[in-house]
Amino acid sequence: MDQSPGLEPSQEPKDAYEHGHGPYQPHEPGYGLDQPGYSPYEDQIPDPQAQMLAIKNAKAYLLKTSTRSGLNLYDHFANVLTKILDEQPANTVDIIEDISKDVKWAQFRKKMDTLRDEHLILPTFEAAEKCKALFVKEVGEEHEELDEEIGQPSLPNVMETAFYFEQAGIGLDKDESYYIFLSLKNLINIQPIQTCRFWGKILGLEMNYIIAEVQLHEGEGGEEEETGEEEEETVAEGEKEMGEAEEEGEEKEKEAEPPKSTYKPPPEIPKEENGTGTNKYIYFVCNEPGKPWVKLPPVTPAQIVCARKIKKFFTGRLDAPVVSFPPFPGNEANYLRAQIARISAGTHVSPTGFYQFANEDEEEEEEGDAYEENPEFEPPPVIEMVESLATWAHHVKGILKQGRCVWINPSQKSEENEEEEEVEEEEEKEEEGEEQQEERGLPLLTLISEDEGMKNIPAWTAQASTNLIPQYSVAILQSNRWPGAYAFACGRKFDNIYFGWGHKYSPESHTPALPPPAQAEYPSGPGTTETVDPTVEEEIAFRVAQEEALAGEEEEEEEEEVEDD
């Protein structure tokens, strides 16, 4: 009798079918060929043709191809057995699943097409491409470096400043600091810069601003402003001429002129000149190291006054509009410049005695802003600078309510217009009753201990970088009025820096300015009150009166003619 494959001679096929391990389904031919009760004779030999049919059906079932992977079970079993017999691993029954997975992975094929694959660009690669230009050294830079070594270098040591601020956990990471260092080097190579300093970083919603504070060589940077002023003057003159021509044309066309407004806007406060006050320094900004530097325009008093009344987040785009109330006179570049001026005036400090006035006469004059380094300065110990705020002083003049560092009378006119406008000025003074009072701010090099606090919060907080090794600690000064403004001092070295959103701290939530009150109604009178329409009877009576008057005039004329004859 034929024996089934995989069964021992003593074991009959019927035992396998009883345990449910047969290769057939009930509806397939060959099912139950050797089961008891299939034929009246249990010991009868099964039909070989039926057994072969059952084997063919089983093999056909194993050769069915999967719709997901494209493989079939028959080939997979053959490959698995071949791998087992070739490698002959130990404890094969325990790792049969892993062997099956390895066989499937070996037959995996990636779908290929005729289109070229588009490789993804990693963010790190994009950042490296942007900073790649920072590491390229030009041919003529070696000679420039030799010249700078002879004279005073204009490139600041950003890494040294970052090291001191890092002692207190302040600043950027080393990679970004070095990128900024190289970016400032490129700025100095492009612009005629005399002094340069890394001012800080202002955060934005979309992009950030990296800010450089520079001073140009004498005679540089004034041409653009002069051309801008000349263009403004020419435009204003052209508008005046056009307005006069239109007024003459209207006078000819209309006999009765409409009433003119008597409102006169307040005089415009002029901005401070370059190198003085709020425009003492020029600022360049960029969004990331490696991108081109953009020069910010000079700040005007109107922009500073309006910036004090609003609070807006920066977007990172210099041409973005500033939507606020009261309306800001400019775009985000002007608003950024105004905030830089405010932060510099309130947070730039130095150890007391490090600077002194250039001239002795300027000590008495509050308008003097020229100072120089004191060669006889002896730095106080760090412990003293931490415990006493009298060891720190402002070396940038404060901004007045007018929006300038030096007060100016806006009502002053030129000598040519004085005689013509004397009468108008007298009338204005009579209406106002009081003249504008001159503003006086704190003088230069004022101690920060005189700064006013905010309710129960002091204006400044001083601390040492470490208490474990005090002899090597650094004095750190933090501004509570402008969060993000810091200063350090270690011996004769000090610096100021800012990292923040560019907003001033306020104990209470920001409340926008209210709109002005509604304009009062015009006074009612005979000249402005509309007359009542007459009734029909009144119109008839008016016509009769007119006819009678005409008739009386005609009679008088006839009588005069008769008398003349």
Side-chain angles (χ1 to χ4, degrees):
M1 188 176 81
D2 297 337
Q3 296 178 355
S4 300
L7 298 177
E8 298 180 359
S10 62
Q11 185 179 2
E12 296 182 358
K14 61 181 181 180
D15 296 332
Y17 289 108
E18 288 177 358
H19 292 84
H21 295 289
Y24 320 111
Q25 298 296 332
H27 61 278
E28 294 180 348
Y31 174 76
L33 293 177
D34 296 331
Q35 291 184 6
Y38 179 77
S39 64
Y41 307 100
E42 294 183 0
D43 297 335
Q44 184 178 1
I45 298 174
D47 187 4
Q49 294 183 354
Q51 210 171 36
M52 291 299 295
L53 180 61
I55 293 173
K56 290 180 180 180
N57 290 336
K59 186 176 181 180
Y61 173 75
L62 295 175
L63 288 171
K64 286 183 178 180
T65 304
S66 173
T67 57
R68 296 176 59 184
S69 61
L71 305 176
N72 60 75
L73 191 60
Y74 187 88
D75 295 338
H76 182 65
F77 281 158
N79 294 331
V80 170
L81 292 174
T82 303
K83 185 177 179 66
I84 292 172
L85 294 175
D86 292 342
E87 298 178 359
Q88 295 182 358
N91 301 325
T92 308
V93 68
D94 297 330
I95 60 173
I96 186 68
E97 292 85 1
D98 297 334
I99 296 173
S100 176
K101 289 182 179 179
D102 294 340
V103 171
K104 286 185 177 180
W105 277 111
Q107 294 181 352
F108 175 76
R109 293 181 180 179
K110 186 178 179 181
K111 293 182 180 180
M112 302 297 292
D113 52 12
T114 57
L115 298 177
R116 181 177 296 177
D117 297 336
E118 183 179 356
H119 301 284
L120 296 177
I121 300 176
L122 299 177
T124 54
F125 181 79
E126 291 182 353
E129 284 292 330
K130 292 178 182 177
C131 299
K132 184 178 179 181
L134 297 175
F135 294 88
V136 177
K137 191 172 184 179
E138 297 180 359
V139 179
E141 290 185 5
E142 297 180 358
H143 302 287
E144 294 178 1
E145 291 177 358
L146 294 175
D147 296 339
E148 289 181 356
E149 289 179 0
I150 298 172
Q152 185 178 3
S154 58
L155 180 64
N157 194 345
V158 178
M159 301 306 296
E160 182 183 7
T161 305
F163 166 76
Y164 285 106
F165 280 113
E166 189 181 1
Q167 305 306 311
I170 302 164
L172 309 172
D173 58 351
K174 292 184 178 179
D175 291 343
E176 188 173 1
S177 298
Y178 192 71
Y179 294 154
I180 294 173
F181 195 6
L182 296 176
S183 185
L184 290 175
K185 178 176 175 291
N186 292 344
L187 175 63
I188 292 174
N189 294 335
I190 296 172
Q191 300 290 339
I193 293 175
Q194 182 178 1
T195 60
C196 179
R197 191 181 73 87
F198 176 48
W199 187 89
K201 183 177 182 180
I202 289 183
L203 307 178
L205 300 178
E206 300 177 11
M207 294 179 288
N208 304 324
Y209 289 115
I210 297 171
I211 305 166
E213 182 183 83
V214 305
Q215 277 185 320
L216 302 180
H217 291 287
E218 295 182 0
E220 301 287 346
E223 299 178 358
E224 298 179 0
E225 296 181 0
E226 292 178 359
T227 54
E229 292 177 358
E230 291 177 359
E231 290 177 0
E232 291 178 359
E233 291 177 359
T234 53
V235 170
E237 291 177 359
E239 290 178 355
K240 287 181 180 180
E241 293 177 359
M242 293 291 291
E244 292 176 358
E246 290 178 359
E247 289 178 359
E248 292 178 359
E250 290 177 359
E251 288 177 359
K252 293 179 180 178
E253 293 177 359
K254 299 179 181 180
E255 297 180 357
E257 295 181 359
K260 295 182 179 179
S261 174
T262 58
Y263 171 75
K264 293 183 179 179
E268 184 179 358
I269 301 173
K271 68 179 182 67
E272 292 178 299
E273 298 180 357
N274 284 346
T276 60
T278 55
N279 292 320
K280 182 176 182 179
Y281 296 99
I282 297 174
Y283 294 90
F284 288 85
V285 299
C286 66
N287 297 118
E288 293 179 2
K291 290 188 176 181
W293 291 92
V294 181
K295 181 181 177 181
L296 294 180
V299 67
T300 61
Q303 294 169 355
I304 293 178
V305 171
C306 186
R308 289 170 171 166
K309 301 177 182 178
I310 64 176
K311 183 176 285 189
K312 296 285 291 184
F313 281 103
F314 293 96
T315 62
R317 294 179 286 107
L318 293 175
D319 57 347
V322 180
V323 182
S324 63
F325 183 84
F328 184 78
N331 54 11
E332 186 165 301
N334 303 106
Y335 181 56
L336 176 64
R337 181 64 182 84
Q339 292 299 95
I340 290 174
R342 296 178 62 200
I343 295 171
S344 300
T347 63
H348 282 192
V349 296
S350 58
T352 304
F354 186 86
Y355 289 116
Q356 63 181 4
F357 288 101
N359 299 324
E360 297 179 356
D361 299 337
E362 292 183 357
E363 296 182 5
E364 301 177 357
E365 297 178 2
E366 295 182 357
E367 296 182 359
D369 58 351
Y371 55 83
E372 61 184 5
E373 187 174 343
N374 184 10
E376 300 177 357
F377 169 71
E378 295 182 1
V382 174
I383 299 175
E384 183 180 351
M385 299 193 72
V386 171
E387 294 178 353
S388 176
L389 294 179
T391 56
W392 301 84
H394 292 277
H395 61 262
V396 177
K397 294 200 67 174
I399 302 176
L400 305 175
K401 294 182 180 179
Q402 193 182 44
R404 292 169 53 98
C405 293
V406 179
W407 187 83
I408 187 174
N409 188 3
S411 61
Q412 288 181 351
K413 306 287 183 177
S414 60
E415 297 180 357
E416 299 177 357
N417 301 330
E418 280 183 359
E419 297 179 358
E420 299 177 358
E421 299 181 356
E422 278 182 0
V423 180
E424 295 180 1
E425 288 180 358
E426 291 177 0
E427 293 177 356
E428 290 176 0
K429 289 179 181 179
E430 290 177 358
E431 293 176 358
E432 294 177 0
E434 295 181 359
E435 295 182 358
Q436 293 185 359
Q437 295 181 356
E438 182 179 357
E439 297 182 39
R440 290 182 178 274
L442 295 175
L444 196 63
L445 303 181
T446 302
L447 303 180
I448 66 171
S449 57
E450 300 181 10
D451 294 354
E452 297 180 359
M454 300 153 288
K455 291 187 177 180
N456 297 327
I457 303 174
W460 298 92
T461 300
Q463 61 183 357
S465 60
T466 178
N467 296 324
L468 301 176
I469 312 175
Q471 61 269 27
Y472 293 107
S473 62
V474 179
I476 302 295
L477 188 66
Q478 177 183 357
S479 174
N480 298 324
R481 189 180 301 276
W482 290 97
Y486 300 93
F488 87 90
C490 181
R492 294 184 64 88
K493 294 182 180 180
F494 79 95
D495 204 348
N496 298 268
I497 207 163
Y498 179 83
F499 300 108
W501 294 94
H503 291 164
K504 189 176 182 180
Y505 174 77
S506 56
E508 301 174 355
S509 59
H510 174 69
T511 304
L514 297 176
Q519 189 176 4
E521 293 288 339
Y522 56 86
S524 59
T528 57
T529 306
E530 186 178 358
T531 59
V532 183
D533 295 337
T535 60
V536 179
E537 297 175 354
E538 292 176 350
E539 289 182 356
I540 295 172
F542 181 72
R543 290 178 183 175
V544 171
Q546 282 186 337
E547 291 176 356
E548 291 178 356
L550 291 172
E553 291 178 359
E554 291 177 357
E555 291 178 358
E556 291 179 357
E557 290 177 357
E558 290 177 356
E559 291 177 357
E560 290 177 357
E561 290 177 358
V562 172
E563 290 177 357
D564 294 338
D565 295 339

